Amino acid sequence: MQDLGDLDSLYRELILDHHRSPRNTEPLISPDVEVDAVNPFCGDEVKVQLKTSGGTLNGISVTGRGCSISQSSASMMGELVKGRSVEDAMRARRAFQALMKGEALTEDQLADLGDLEALQGVKRYPVRIKCALLAWSALEDALKRVRA
Amino acid sequence: MKTSRRGEIYDVMKVREDFPVLARKVNGHQLVYLDNAATSQKPRQVIAALVDYYERYNANVHRGVHTLSIEATDAYEEARAKVQKFINAPVPESVIWTRNTSESINLVAYAYARKHLKAGDEIVTTVMEHHSDLISWQQICKELGTRLRFIPRTEEGLIDLSTIDEIISARTKLVAVTHMSNVLGTIVPVREIAERAHAVGAVILVDGAQSVPHMPVDVQDLDCDFLAFSGHKMLGPTGIGVLYGKPEILEDMQPFMYGSDMILEVSYEGAKWNQLPYKFEAGTPNIADAIATGAAVDYLENLGMDAVWRHEQQLTAYALRRFAELENYRVVGPTDPSLRGGTISFTHDQVHPHDLGTALDRLGIAIRTGHHCAMPLVKSYGHAAVARASMYIYNHEGEIDHLIEGLKQAEGYFSHAGSRRS
């Protein structure tokens, strides 16, 4: 696949793995909050359900349908924030958004993002950034409601 | 009509020379432009018409007595007459310049439907409309208390006329249907629907955005009351559209927008509306783009719309045959090339359309992915998005081969990706 070889910087193996076998897709029974996000541009969907106690996300379900970028980002996001504090999740969201905007991240910020660093290549494909951010906008809404 | 040595209806390679953008390379590959249902490319002749107007006789129309203004007015009105002939409208004043198909439809919604429809009346459309021929009517229904009804599709994606006599009834006052689906490529039997609409005393609007650029369209033969279409999908510039209306119906309508050019006489107390078509063209119109649309019509007439349509039918048949060879790709819509145009939507069993679109772009192939402004239709097939390749006069079998090859490569890329190093 010589011609498509330069796609490897976008479609890292970790991304395709999360797309093929997304994590944390079991729906929560009676979640505290539930948020749906849709990208009207392409029709991609992500649903985030959260259960919290004492400021910790002790239950998360992330489901949806769409392209490999939107769905892998959703799956990795769920893995990252599961069991973390609301503050940690908010910080991760800010770091991921900065990564997509092409801003320089500190080592701490990169470490905060874990596997999501694999999505770095997306910033070279501006029309796909919205795909990567879809799940995070749902998470942001959900976190705001948790805190409200 | 002669057939060239390549079995083509006209010399496609010669046509391509008229389109500067087609010589472009994208990501190191020769551009293969297959997003014509979104917008077509423009030939040198159309671009030259724009430049000529701005360089030689730029002036406002219908106002000045000076030479430039007279020339601009003549060219603007000549372009209208070209469009009139192109769609076989009875008189030039039945052709109104708008901004695009959406504005043409809105004009009918506001200036016709609001005046002539009332609560309890029904508007009939199809399940395969573009959002611009759906949302206007939804809003009118909310405002007036009219009811929106839908002509269904068959499983395959053809219009199902079996219940048409029940759906279009004495309560129907307006029928608005697309002539060709921008997703499925389906040709809608407009003449039959018009006949039924007129039998119950309703008017019919045809959304010709996807048909007028591709096939001979004759408003008198279709017997439609309104026809809406855009310049930019038929080699013309963006920002210009057309509404055709039967003159007696247009006469009976109120203006849609108020301003200069659409009045005959103004006092401090009121105004008397200008005659057709100016009643509907308030303010300084889009002069340059109207003139360039005339040049686009010339270009298409020169090829002949019969030839354009035959070329696309041939290419569509070829593309559908090639798609049938692919195991994991499925065409969404009718597979009989005689019942459809050259807009082919498809999906892959595993790979998402958006990922396909990005992969093809790496190979210089431009297609569109998404819901194509027809969300309910795409959903009814169980998809949130589909990929779409759409053809025009300058596409050829070699480009279809590139597309098919690209789709195979994309499939290979995404299915073998598991063996790559991360």
Side-chain angles (χ1 to χ4, degrees), chain B residues 309-337:
Chain B
W309 180 235
R310 280 180 50 205
H311 166 73
E312 286 184 33
Q313 288 263 279
Q314 213 171 59
L315 202 54
T316 305
Y318 179 72
L320 290 170
R321 276 202 305 278
R322 296 294 327 260
F323 264 101
E325 293 167 17
L326 301 173
E327 207 184 321
N328 300 312
Y329 286 94
R330 324 222 167 265
V331 169
V332 181
T335 46
D336 178 346

PDB file of all heavy atoms in Angstrom, chain B residues 309-337:
ATOM      1  N   TRP B 309     -26.433  13.685 -21.329  1.00  0.00           N
ATOM      2  CA  TRP B 309     -27.178  12.653 -20.604  1.00  0.00           C
ATOM      3  C   TRP B 309     -26.723  11.258 -21.027  1.00  0.00           C
ATOM      4  O   TRP B 309     -26.512  10.380 -20.186  1.00  0.00           O
ATOM      5  CB  TRP B 309     -28.672  12.850 -20.830  1.00  0.00           C
ATOM      6  CG  TRP B 309     -29.539  11.856 -20.128  1.00  0.00           C
ATOM      7  CD1 TRP B 309     -30.489  11.055 -20.686  1.00  0.00           C
ATOM      8  CD2 TRP B 309     -29.572  11.563 -18.724  1.00  0.00           C
ATOM      9  NE1 TRP B 309     -31.089  10.280 -19.741  1.00  0.00           N
ATOM     10  CE2 TRP B 309     -30.544  10.566 -18.513  1.00  0.00           C
ATOM     11  CE3 TRP B 309     -28.849  12.035 -17.616  1.00  0.00           C
ATOM     12  CZ2 TRP B 309     -30.831  10.031 -17.251  1.00  0.00           C
ATOM     13  CZ3 TRP B 309     -29.122  11.504 -16.355  1.00  0.00           C
ATOM     14  CH2 TRP B 309     -30.105  10.527 -16.196  1.00  0.00           C
ATOM     15  N   ARG B 310     -26.540  11.058 -22.341  1.00  0.00           N
ATOM     16  CA  ARG B 310     -26.103   9.741 -22.822  1.00  0.00           C
ATOM     17  C   ARG B 310     -24.717   9.404 -22.300  1.00  0.00           C
ATOM     18  O   ARG B 310     -24.437   8.268 -21.918  1.00  0.00           O
ATOM     19  CB  ARG B 310     -26.127   9.702 -24.352  1.00  0.00           C
ATOM     20  CG  ARG B 310     -27.525   9.461 -24.901  1.00  0.00           C
ATOM     21  CD  ARG B 310     -27.528   9.422 -26.422  1.00  0.00           C
ATOM     22  NE  ARG B 310     -26.491   8.527 -26.944  1.00  0.00           N
ATOM     23  CZ  ARG B 310     -25.946   8.650 -28.154  1.00  0.00           C
ATOM     24  NH1 ARG B 310     -26.322   9.621 -28.952  1.00  0.00           N
ATOM     25  NH2 ARG B 310     -25.040   7.802 -28.568  1.00  0.00           N
ATOM     26  N   HIS B 311     -23.838  10.414 -22.271  1.00  0.00           N
ATOM     27  CA  HIS B 311     -22.488  10.200 -21.740  1.00  0.00           C
ATOM     28  C   HIS B 311     -22.569   9.741 -20.277  1.00  0.00           C
ATOM     29  O   HIS B 311     -21.901   8.784 -19.862  1.00  0.00           O
ATOM     30  CB  HIS B 311     -21.682  11.495 -21.847  1.00  0.00           C
ATOM     31  CG  HIS B 311     -20.418  11.494 -21.044  1.00  0.00           C
ATOM     32  ND1 HIS B 311     -19.309  10.770 -21.412  1.00  0.00           N
ATOM     33  CD2 HIS B 311     -20.098  12.096 -19.864  1.00  0.00           C
ATOM     34  CE1 HIS B 311     -18.352  10.934 -20.496  1.00  0.00           C
ATOM     35  NE2 HIS B 311     -18.808  11.735 -19.554  1.00  0.00           N
ATOM     36  N   GLU B 312     -23.403  10.420 -19.495  1.00  0.00           N
ATOM     37  CA  GLU B 312     -23.490  10.079 -18.071  1.00  0.00           C
ATOM     38  C   GLU B 312     -24.146   8.721 -17.846  1.00  0.00           C
ATOM     39  O   GLU B 312     -23.761   7.979 -16.944  1.00  0.00           O
ATOM     40  CB  GLU B 312     -24.217  11.183 -17.309  1.00  0.00           C
ATOM     41  CG  GLU B 312     -23.324  12.398 -17.160  1.00  0.00           C
ATOM     42  CD  GLU B 312     -23.943  13.496 -16.326  1.00  0.00           C
ATOM     43  OE1 GLU B 312     -24.700  13.181 -15.385  1.00  0.00           O
ATOM     44  OE2 GLU B 312     -23.693  14.670 -16.632  1.00  0.00           O
ATOM     45  N   GLN B 313     -25.116   8.408 -18.693  1.00  0.00           N
ATOM     46  CA  GLN B 313     -25.767   7.100 -18.586  1.00  0.00           C
ATOM     47  C   GLN B 313     -24.759   5.986 -18.842  1.00  0.00           C
ATOM     48  O   GLN B 313     -24.706   4.984 -18.129  1.00  0.00           O
ATOM     49  CB  GLN B 313     -26.891   7.016 -19.621  1.00  0.00           C
ATOM     50  CG  GLN B 313     -28.067   7.893 -19.244  1.00  0.00           C
ATOM     51  CD  GLN B 313     -29.141   7.099 -18.547  1.00  0.00           C
ATOM     52  OE1 GLN B 313     -29.937   6.430 -19.175  1.00  0.00           O
ATOM     53  NE2 GLN B 313     -29.136   7.158 -17.244  1.00  0.00           N
ATOM     54  N   GLN B 314     -23.935   6.197 -19.879  1.00  0.00           N
ATOM     55  CA  GLN B 314     -22.912   5.223 -20.236  1.00  0.00           C
ATOM     56  C   GLN B 314     -21.898   5.047 -19.097  1.00  0.00           C
ATOM     57  O   GLN B 314     -21.552   3.936 -18.719  1.00  0.00           O
ATOM     58  CB  GLN B 314     -22.178   5.759 -21.474  1.00  0.00           C
ATOM     59  CG  GLN B 314     -21.695   4.722 -22.420  1.00  0.00           C
ATOM     60  CD  GLN B 314     -21.187   5.368 -23.708  1.00  0.00           C
ATOM     61  OE1 GLN B 314     -20.265   6.183 -23.689  1.00  0.00           O
ATOM     62  NE2 GLN B 314     -21.776   5.011 -24.823  1.00  0.00           N
ATOM     63  N   LEU B 315     -21.481   6.193 -18.547  1.00  0.00           N
ATOM     64  CA  LEU B 315     -20.485   6.165 -17.477  1.00  0.00           C
ATOM     65  C   LEU B 315     -21.069   5.552 -16.198  1.00  0.00           C
ATOM     66  O   LEU B 315     -20.393   4.810 -15.476  1.00  0.00           O
ATOM     67  CB  LEU B 315     -20.004   7.600 -17.216  1.00  0.00           C
ATOM     68  CG  LEU B 315     -18.652   7.788 -16.539  1.00  0.00           C
ATOM     69  CD1 LEU B 315     -17.558   7.038 -17.290  1.00  0.00           C
ATOM     70  CD2 LEU B 315     -18.309   9.273 -16.452  1.00  0.00           C
ATOM     71  N   THR B 316     -22.335   5.865 -15.927  1.00  0.00           N
ATOM     72  CA  THR B 316     -23.002   5.305 -14.747  1.00  0.00           C
ATOM     73  C   THR B 316     -23.107   3.791 -14.868  1.00  0.00           C
ATOM     74  O   THR B 316     -22.829   3.059 -13.910  1.00  0.00           O
ATOM     75  CB  THR B 316     -24.411   5.911 -14.587  1.00  0.00           C
ATOM     76  OG1 THR B 316     -24.292   7.327 -14.551  1.00  0.00           O
ATOM     77  CG2 THR B 316     -25.086   5.429 -13.323  1.00  0.00           C
ATOM     78  N   ALA B 317     -23.493   3.331 -16.040  1.00  0.00           N
ATOM     79  CA  ALA B 317     -23.606   1.886 -16.260  1.00  0.00           C
ATOM     80  C   ALA B 317     -22.254   1.223 -16.037  1.00  0.00           C
ATOM     81  O   ALA B 317     -22.156   0.174 -15.385  1.00  0.00           O
ATOM     82  CB  ALA B 317     -24.118   1.607 -17.673  1.00  0.00           C
ATOM     83  N   TYR B 318     -21.207   1.867 -16.547  1.00  0.00           N
ATOM     84  CA  TYR B 318     -19.853   1.316 -16.376  1.00  0.00           C
ATOM     85  C   TYR B 318     -19.481   1.280 -14.887  1.00  0.00           C
ATOM     86  O   TYR B 318     -18.998   0.267 -14.373  1.00  0.00           O
ATOM     87  CB  TYR B 318     -18.844   2.168 -17.158  1.00  0.00           C
ATOM     88  CG  TYR B 318     -17.426   1.680 -17.007  1.00  0.00           C
ATOM     89  CD1 TYR B 318     -17.010   0.502 -17.635  1.00  0.00           C
ATOM     90  CD2 TYR B 318     -16.507   2.374 -16.217  1.00  0.00           C
ATOM     91  CE1 TYR B 318     -15.707   0.033 -17.482  1.00  0.00           C
ATOM     92  CE2 TYR B 318     -15.209   1.911 -16.061  1.00  0.00           C
ATOM     93  CZ  TYR B 318     -14.811   0.740 -16.691  1.00  0.00           C
ATOM     94  OH  TYR B 318     -13.533   0.280 -16.532  1.00  0.00           O
ATOM     95  N   ALA B 319     -19.736   2.395 -14.196  1.00  0.00           N
ATOM     96  CA  ALA B 319     -19.381   2.468 -12.777  1.00  0.00           C
ATOM     97  C   ALA B 319     -20.151   1.423 -11.964  1.00  0.00           C
ATOM     98  O   ALA B 319     -19.584   0.774 -11.079  1.00  0.00           O
ATOM     99  CB  ALA B 319     -19.662   3.873 -12.240  1.00  0.00           C
ATOM    100  N   LEU B 320     -21.412   1.247 -12.274  1.00  0.00           N
ATOM    101  CA  LEU B 320     -22.212   0.268 -11.514  1.00  0.00           C
ATOM    102  C   LEU B 320     -21.697  -1.151 -11.757  1.00  0.00           C
ATOM    103  O   LEU B 320     -21.682  -1.980 -10.843  1.00  0.00           O
ATOM    104  CB  LEU B 320     -23.698   0.383 -11.885  1.00  0.00           C
ATOM    105  CG  LEU B 320     -24.395   1.651 -11.387  1.00  0.00           C
ATOM    106  CD1 LEU B 320     -25.778   1.780 -12.004  1.00  0.00           C
ATOM    107  CD2 LEU B 320     -24.492   1.670  -9.854  1.00  0.00           C
ATOM    108  N   ARG B 321     -21.260  -1.409 -12.996  1.00  0.00           N
ATOM    109  CA  ARG B 321     -20.672  -2.732 -13.285  1.00  0.00           C
ATOM    110  C   ARG B 321     -19.395  -2.930 -12.474  1.00  0.00           C
ATOM    111  O   ARG B 321     -19.165  -3.987 -11.909  1.00  0.00           O
ATOM    112  CB  ARG B 321     -20.337  -2.841 -14.783  1.00  0.00           C
ATOM    113  CG  ARG B 321     -21.499  -3.246 -15.662  1.00  0.00           C
ATOM    114  CD  ARG B 321     -21.023  -3.850 -16.992  1.00  0.00           C
ATOM    115  NE  ARG B 321     -20.117  -3.013 -17.758  1.00  0.00           N
ATOM    116  CZ  ARG B 321     -20.500  -2.007 -18.559  1.00  0.00           C
ATOM    117  NH1 ARG B 321     -21.792  -1.721 -18.694  1.00  0.00           N
ATOM    118  NH2 ARG B 321     -19.618  -1.308 -19.239  1.00  0.00           N
ATOM    119  N   ARG B 322     -18.585  -1.880 -12.397  1.00  0.00           N
ATOM    120  CA  ARG B 322     -17.334  -1.992 -11.641  1.00  0.00           C
ATOM    121  C   ARG B 322     -17.619  -2.141 -10.149  1.00  0.00           C
ATOM    122  O   ARG B 322     -16.949  -2.901  -9.451  1.00  0.00           O
ATOM    123  CB  ARG B 322     -16.427  -0.767 -11.872  1.00  0.00           C
ATOM    124  CG  ARG B 322     -15.923  -0.557 -13.287  1.00  0.00           C
ATOM    125  CD  ARG B 322     -14.954  -1.629 -13.808  1.00  0.00           C
ATOM    126  NE  ARG B 322     -14.064  -2.251 -12.842  1.00  0.00           N
ATOM    127  CZ  ARG B 322     -12.783  -1.951 -12.638  1.00  0.00           C
ATOM    128  NH1 ARG B 322     -12.222  -1.010 -13.343  1.00  0.00           N
ATOM    129  NH2 ARG B 322     -12.053  -2.593 -11.750  1.00  0.00           N
ATOM    130  N   PHE B 323     -18.612  -1.409  -9.629  1.00  0.00           N
ATOM    131  CA  PHE B 323     -18.973  -1.539  -8.212  1.00  0.00           C
ATOM    132  C   PHE B 323     -19.428  -2.957  -7.879  1.00  0.00           C
ATOM    133  O   PHE B 323     -19.151  -3.468  -6.806  1.00  0.00           O
ATOM    134  CB  PHE B 323     -20.076  -0.536  -7.838  1.00  0.00           C
ATOM    135  CG  PHE B 323     -19.540   0.730  -7.234  1.00  0.00           C
ATOM    136  CD1 PHE B 323     -19.424   1.879  -7.995  1.00  0.00           C
ATOM    137  CD2 PHE B 323     -19.142   0.772  -5.913  1.00  0.00           C
ATOM    138  CE1 PHE B 323     -18.917   3.054  -7.454  1.00  0.00           C
ATOM    139  CE2 PHE B 323     -18.634   1.929  -5.342  1.00  0.00           C
ATOM    140  CZ  PHE B 323     -18.516   3.076  -6.125  1.00  0.00           C
ATOM    141  N   ALA B 324     -20.136  -3.573  -8.841  1.00  0.00           N
ATOM    142  CA  ALA B 324     -20.657  -4.921  -8.599  1.00  0.00           C
ATOM    143  C   ALA B 324     -19.522  -5.932  -8.409  1.00  0.00           C
ATOM    144  O   ALA B 324     -19.703  -6.977  -7.797  1.00  0.00           O
ATOM    145  CB  ALA B 324     -21.563  -5.339  -9.752  1.00  0.00           C
ATOM    146  N   GLU B 325     -18.310  -5.581  -8.927  1.00  0.00           N
ATOM    147  CA  GLU B 325     -17.164  -6.492  -8.760  1.00  0.00           C
ATOM    148  C   GLU B 325     -16.620  -6.458  -7.339  1.00  0.00           C
ATOM    149  O   GLU B 325     -15.869  -7.334  -6.939  1.00  0.00           O
ATOM    150  CB  GLU B 325     -16.007  -6.064  -9.682  1.00  0.00           C
ATOM    151  CG  GLU B 325     -16.271  -6.208 -11.154  1.00  0.00           C
ATOM    152  CD  GLU B 325     -15.210  -5.460 -11.964  1.00  0.00           C
ATOM    153  OE1 GLU B 325     -14.133  -5.131 -11.414  1.00  0.00           O
ATOM    154  OE2 GLU B 325     -15.493  -5.173 -13.134  1.00  0.00           O
ATOM    155  N   LEU B 326     -16.934  -5.399  -6.609  1.00  0.00           N
ATOM    156  CA  LEU B 326     -16.358  -5.230  -5.279  1.00  0.00           C
ATOM    157  C   LEU B 326     -17.210  -5.991  -4.264  1.00  0.00           C
ATOM    158  O   LEU B 326     -18.417  -5.807  -4.198  1.00  0.00           O
ATOM    159  CB  LEU B 326     -16.296  -3.744  -4.903  1.00  0.00           C
ATOM    160  CG  LEU B 326     -15.484  -2.838  -5.829  1.00  0.00           C
ATOM    161  CD1 LEU B 326     -15.673  -1.383  -5.417  1.00  0.00           C
ATOM    162  CD2 LEU B 326     -14.017  -3.221  -5.787  1.00  0.00           C
ATOM    163  N   GLU B 327     -16.542  -6.813  -3.475  1.00  0.00           N
ATOM    164  CA  GLU B 327     -17.275  -7.698  -2.582  1.00  0.00           C
ATOM    165  C   GLU B 327     -17.885  -6.976  -1.383  1.00  0.00           C
ATOM    166  O   GLU B 327     -19.018  -7.236  -0.999  1.00  0.00           O
ATOM    167  CB  GLU B 327     -16.317  -8.781  -2.091  1.00  0.00           C
ATOM    168  CG  GLU B 327     -17.015 -10.068  -1.728  1.00  0.00           C
ATOM    169  CD  GLU B 327     -16.014 -11.063  -1.159  1.00  0.00           C
ATOM    170  OE1 GLU B 327     -14.878 -11.121  -1.679  1.00  0.00           O
ATOM    171  OE2 GLU B 327     -16.373 -11.735  -0.194  1.00  0.00           O
ATOM    172  N   ASN B 328     -17.149  -6.045  -0.806  1.00  0.00           N
ATOM    173  CA  ASN B 328     -17.588  -5.470   0.465  1.00  0.00           C
ATOM    174  C   ASN B 328     -18.155  -4.056   0.354  1.00  0.00           C
ATOM    175  O   ASN B 328     -18.468  -3.424   1.360  1.00  0.00           O
ATOM    176  CB  ASN B 328     -16.431  -5.474   1.458  1.00  0.00           C
ATOM    177  CG  ASN B 328     -15.942  -6.877   1.716  1.00  0.00           C
ATOM    178  OD1 ASN B 328     -16.743  -7.779   1.978  1.00  0.00           O
ATOM    179  ND2 ASN B 328     -14.638  -7.088   1.588  1.00  0.00           N
ATOM    180  N   TYR B 329     -18.259  -3.561  -0.874  1.00  0.00           N
ATOM    181  CA  TYR B 329     -18.875  -2.246  -1.079  1.00  0.00           C
ATOM    182  C   TYR B 329     -20.300  -2.436  -1.583  1.00  0.00           C
ATOM    183  O   TYR B 329     -20.553  -3.313  -2.408  1.00  0.00           O
ATOM    184  CB  TYR B 329     -18.083  -1.438  -2.112  1.00  0.00           C
ATOM    185  CG  TYR B 329     -16.772  -0.896  -1.588  1.00  0.00           C
ATOM    186  CD1 TYR B 329     -15.589  -1.592  -1.775  1.00  0.00           C
ATOM    187  CD2 TYR B 329     -16.734   0.322  -0.912  1.00  0.00           C
ATOM    188  CE1 TYR B 329     -14.378  -1.093  -1.295  1.00  0.00           C
ATOM    189  CE2 TYR B 329     -15.528   0.826  -0.429  1.00  0.00           C
ATOM    190  CZ  TYR B 329     -14.357   0.112  -0.626  1.00  0.00           C
ATOM    191  OH  TYR B 329     -13.171   0.621  -0.155  1.00  0.00           O
ATOM    192  N   ARG B 330     -21.222  -1.635  -1.088  1.00  0.00           N
ATOM    193  CA  ARG B 330     -22.617  -1.752  -1.520  1.00  0.00           C
ATOM    194  C   ARG B 330     -23.138  -0.402  -2.009  1.00  0.00           C
ATOM    195  O   ARG B 330     -23.009   0.603  -1.303  1.00  0.00           O
ATOM    196  CB  ARG B 330     -23.535  -2.217  -0.389  1.00  0.00           C
ATOM    197  CG  ARG B 330     -22.902  -3.183   0.518  1.00  0.00           C
ATOM    198  CD  ARG B 330     -23.778  -4.354   0.946  1.00  0.00           C
ATOM    199  NE  ARG B 330     -22.896  -5.337   1.576  1.00  0.00           N
ATOM    200  CZ  ARG B 330     -22.373  -6.367   0.938  1.00  0.00           C
ATOM    201  NH1 ARG B 330     -22.666  -6.598  -0.316  1.00  0.00           N
ATOM    202  NH2 ARG B 330     -21.559  -7.199   1.570  1.00  0.00           N
ATOM    203  N   VAL B 331     -23.713  -0.416  -3.183  1.00  0.00           N
ATOM    204  CA  VAL B 331     -24.338   0.791  -3.728  1.00  0.00           C
ATOM    205  C   VAL B 331     -25.676   0.998  -3.025  1.00  0.00           C
ATOM    206  O   VAL B 331     -26.445   0.057  -2.840  1.00  0.00           O
ATOM    207  CB  VAL B 331     -24.523   0.654  -5.254  1.00  0.00           C
ATOM    208  CG1 VAL B 331     -25.406   1.769  -5.794  1.00  0.00           C
ATOM    209  CG2 VAL B 331     -23.163   0.669  -5.949  1.00  0.00           C
ATOM    210  N   VAL B 332     -25.919   2.237  -2.595  1.00  0.00           N
ATOM    211  CA  VAL B 332     -27.192   2.578  -1.952  1.00  0.00           C
ATOM    212  C   VAL B 332     -28.050   3.276  -3.002  1.00  0.00           C
ATOM    213  O   VAL B 332     -27.761   4.401  -3.387  1.00  0.00           O
ATOM    214  CB  VAL B 332     -26.965   3.521  -0.746  1.00  0.00           C
ATOM    215  CG1 VAL B 332     -28.266   3.855  -0.061  1.00  0.00           C
ATOM    216  CG2 VAL B 332     -25.985   2.901   0.243  1.00  0.00           C
ATOM    217  N   GLY B 333     -29.080   2.595  -3.484  1.00  0.00           N
ATOM    218  CA  GLY B 333     -29.925   3.204  -4.510  1.00  0.00           C
ATOM    219  C   GLY B 333     -30.104   2.262  -5.681  1.00  0.00           C
ATOM    220  O   GLY B 333     -29.545   1.159  -5.705  1.00  0.00           O
ATOM    221  N   PRO B 334     -30.908   2.676  -6.664  1.00  0.00           N
ATOM    222  CA  PRO B 334     -31.245   1.795  -7.777  1.00  0.00           C
ATOM    223  C   PRO B 334     -30.002   1.367  -8.567  1.00  0.00           C
ATOM    224  O   PRO B 334     -29.076   2.155  -8.733  1.00  0.00           O
ATOM    225  CB  PRO B 334     -32.157   2.643  -8.669  1.00  0.00           C
ATOM    226  CG  PRO B 334     -32.424   3.901  -7.956  1.00  0.00           C
ATOM    227  CD  PRO B 334     -31.504   4.010  -6.801  1.00  0.00           C
ATOM    228  N   THR B 335     -30.007   0.139  -9.044  1.00  0.00           N
ATOM    229  CA  THR B 335     -28.849  -0.356  -9.791  1.00  0.00           C
ATOM    230  C   THR B 335     -29.122  -0.431 -11.289  1.00  0.00           C
ATOM    231  O   THR B 335     -28.230  -0.741 -12.057  1.00  0.00           O
ATOM    232  CB  THR B 335     -28.427  -1.743  -9.273  1.00  0.00           C
ATOM    233  OG1 THR B 335     -29.599  -2.541  -9.131  1.00  0.00           O
ATOM    234  CG2 THR B 335     -27.723  -1.640  -7.933  1.00  0.00           C
ATOM    235  N   ASP B 336     -30.358  -0.139 -11.709  1.00  0.00           N
ATOM    236  CA  ASP B 336     -30.660  -0.090 -13.139  1.00  0.00           C
ATOM    237  C   ASP B 336     -30.275   1.294 -13.660  1.00  0.00           C
ATOM    238  O   ASP B 336     -30.887   2.295 -13.310  1.00  0.00           O
ATOM    239  CB  ASP B 336     -32.165  -0.351 -13.337  1.00  0.00           C
ATOM    240  CG  ASP B 336     -32.556  -0.277 -14.815  1.00  0.00           C
ATOM    241  OD1 ASP B 336     -31.748   0.228 -15.630  1.00  0.00           O
ATOM    242  OD2 ASP B 336     -33.664  -0.717 -15.133  1.00  0.00           O
ATOM    243  N   PRO B 337     -29.214   1.365 -14.487  1.00  0.00           N
ATOM    244  CA  PRO B 337     -28.710   2.680 -14.906  1.00  0.00           C
ATOM    245  C   PRO B 337     -29.718   3.519 -15.678  1.00  0.00           C
ATOM    246  O   PRO B 337     -29.565   4.738 -15.766  1.00  0.00           O
ATOM    247  CB  PRO B 337     -27.495   2.341 -15.779  1.00  0.00           C
ATOM    248  CG  PRO B 337     -27.506   0.880 -16.003  1.00  0.00           C
ATOM    249  CD  PRO B 337     -28.449   0.244 -15.038  1.00  0.00           C
TER     250      PRO B 337
END
